[in-house]
């Protein structure tokens, strides 16, 4: 009788791209990152598939989150492969966790895309001005880039960058929770906006904590940091993305002023989709009266 041998493929990423330092990525951590990568890829493909069912003018939120999940797939692929990192001397917890730590800049590159994606999506939903949305996008960049610079700072001055980034986060929280909700109430989506923004800000609240004990304070290892950030990243973009996309079926795109049609962007005042309403045929012209016959 033939014996069928079933073997599992081993994760050899760390053999090809070996880690370094005192705190580094191990095989278990790489396995976790491959799982996160797979979830991002599935989310990306699913969102792209959903665009095929959406109306041509109602794909705005799909496109925003397709980009975010696509970049997330690339970033987590890099990190699972033990790529996209630098070896940085640490200023804290050196005695217990070692001096040199792998700092993966790939996740910060992902955050530069994912944080603004969430900001833009909820900003457009709330109906705030484009100036407010751009302001919030720059706040998210200040937050992420300050944390990135802090992660690469080898002295306790890193906490100054941490403070700057956290202040940007606090401004962002105020803008989204208070100002955005007021605007959302005016366009009739306050309930959905409040739920989505509360979820996002709950996750945002945990990012400074995760950073402070991982890349910032060196209190937990690289793998522990990846588990913390991986869960947060999955809950922030894929979960938020599907919630927004499915709820968007109930929203009036014209009142939100994001109804993109074949004629361009439809403003709130007309509130119509021109191609959805057939143009009434012009009434037929009355036959011309016969010319009078001149008397002979």
């Amino acid at each position: 009788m033939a014996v069928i041998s079933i073997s599992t493929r081993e994760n050899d990423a760390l053999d090809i791209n070996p880690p370094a330092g005192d705190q580094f990525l191990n095989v278990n951590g790489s396995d976790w990152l491959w799982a996160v990568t797979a979830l991002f890829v599935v989310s990306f493909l699913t969102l792209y598939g959903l665009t095929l069912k959406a109306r041509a003018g109602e794909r705005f939120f799909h496109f925003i989150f397709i980009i975010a999940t696509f970049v997330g797939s690339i970033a987590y692929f890099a990190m699972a492969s033990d790529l996209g990192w630098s070896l940085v001397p640490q200023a804290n917890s050196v005695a217990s966790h070692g001096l040199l730590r792998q700092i993966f800049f790939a996740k910060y590159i992902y955050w530069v895309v994912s944080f603004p994606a969430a900001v833009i999506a909820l900003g457009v939903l709330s109906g705030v001005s484009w100036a407010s949305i751009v302001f919030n996008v720059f706040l998210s960049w200040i937050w992420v880039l300050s944390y990135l610079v802090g992660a690469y700072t080898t002295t306790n001055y890193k906490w100054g960058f941490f403070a700057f980034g956290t202040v940007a986060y606090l401004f962002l929280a105020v803008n989204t929770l208070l100002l955005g909700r007021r605007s959302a109430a005016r366009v009739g989506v306050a309930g959905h906006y409040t739920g989505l923004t509360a979820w996002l800000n709950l996750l945002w609240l945990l990012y400074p904590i995760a950073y402070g004990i991982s890349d910032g304070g060196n209190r937990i290892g690289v793998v522990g940091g990846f588990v913390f950030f991986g869960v947060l990243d999955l809950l922030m973009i894929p979960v938020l993305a599907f919630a927004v996309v499915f709820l968007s079926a109930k929203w009036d795109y014209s009142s939100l002023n994001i109804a993109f049609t074949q004629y361009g962007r439809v403003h709130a005042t007309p509130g119509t989709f021109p191609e959805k309403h057939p143009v009434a045929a012009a009434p037929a012209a009355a036959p011309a009266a016969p010319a009078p016959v001149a008397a002979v």
Side-chain angles (χ1 to χ4, degrees):
M1 183 177 65
V3 178
I4 301 176
S5 176
I6 301 176
S7 61
T8 58
R9 186 179 184 277
E10 294 184 357
N11 181 359
D12 59 354
L14 302 188
D15 295 329
I16 300 172
N17 306 305
D22 302 307
Q23 285 293 334
F24 52 85
L25 181 67
N26 60 26
V27 175
N28 291 332
S30 179
D31 289 340
W32 160 250
L33 292 174
W34 281 120
V36 177
T37 303
L39 291 174
F40 267 100
V41 171
V42 170
S43 299
F44 160 66
L45 294 175
T46 304
L47 287 169
Y48 188 82
L50 290 174
T51 62
L52 304 178
K53 298 179 62 177
R55 293 191 182 99
E58 299 179 1
R59 297 172 181 166
F60 179 84
F61 297 106
H62 298 71
F63 291 154
I64 290 291
F65 289 114
I66 283 173
I67 294 299
T69 52
F70 195 6
V71 175
S73 302
I74 298 170
Y76 271 92
F77 169 82
M79 293 185 288
S81 304
D82 198 34
L83 300 170
W85 56 270
S86 301
L87 208 56
V88 179
Q90 298 298 296
N92 306 110
S93 304
V94 174
S96 57
H97 290 84
L99 175 64
L100 298 177
R101 181 187 183 95
Q102 278 186 303
I103 298 296
F104 285 77
F105 56 80
K107 69 173 175 281
Y108 295 91
I109 295 175
Y110 165 62
W111 291 344
V112 166
V113 176
S114 65
F115 281 41
V119 166
I120 292 170
L122 293 183
V124 169
L125 171 62
S126 70
V128 297
S129 67
W130 285 109
S132 298
I133 294 174
V134 170
F135 177 57
N136 288 340
V137 167
F138 274 93
L139 284 175
S140 69
W141 282 339
I142 293 171
W143 180 10
V144 172
L145 296 178
S146 295
Y147 279 16
L148 173 61
V149 175
Y152 275 81
T153 302
T154 59
T155 66
N156 278 322
Y157 280 85
K158 66 170 57 186
W159 298 111
F161 295 106
F162 173 79
F164 286 127
T166 304
V167 168
Y169 149 67
L170 293 175
F171 285 152
L172 194 56
V174 170
N175 290 345
T176 54
L177 287 173
L178 299 181
L179 304 182
R181 189 178 184 279
R182 293 174 189 170
S183 179
R186 290 195 294 268
V187 295
V189 292
H192 287 169
Y193 177 83
T194 300
L196 294 170
T197 307
W199 173 256
L200 180 61
N201 275 275
L202 174 62
L203 298 174
W204 277 351
L205 178 64
L206 299 176
Y207 275 91
I209 299 173
Y211 175 87
I213 62 176
S214 59
D215 288 0
N218 195 35
R219 298 291 298 177
I220 62 175
V222 171
V223 174
F226 271 136
V227 172
F228 203 158
F229 283 127
V231 171
L232 291 179
D233 286 344
L234 286 172
L235 294 177
M236 184 177 74
I237 288 300
V239 171
L240 182 68
F242 286 113
V244 169
V245 166
F246 287 117
L247 287 175
S248 66
K250 303 179 181 180
W251 300 335
D252 183 356
Y253 275 57
S254 57
S255 66
L256 296 175
N257 199 20
I258 54 172
F260 296 92
T261 75
Q262 62 181 329
Y263 299 99
R265 188 173 182 182
V266 176
H267 296 287
T269 302
T272 60
F273 295 87
E275 67 271 21
K276 294 182 182 179
H277 302 281
V279 179
V293 178
V296 179

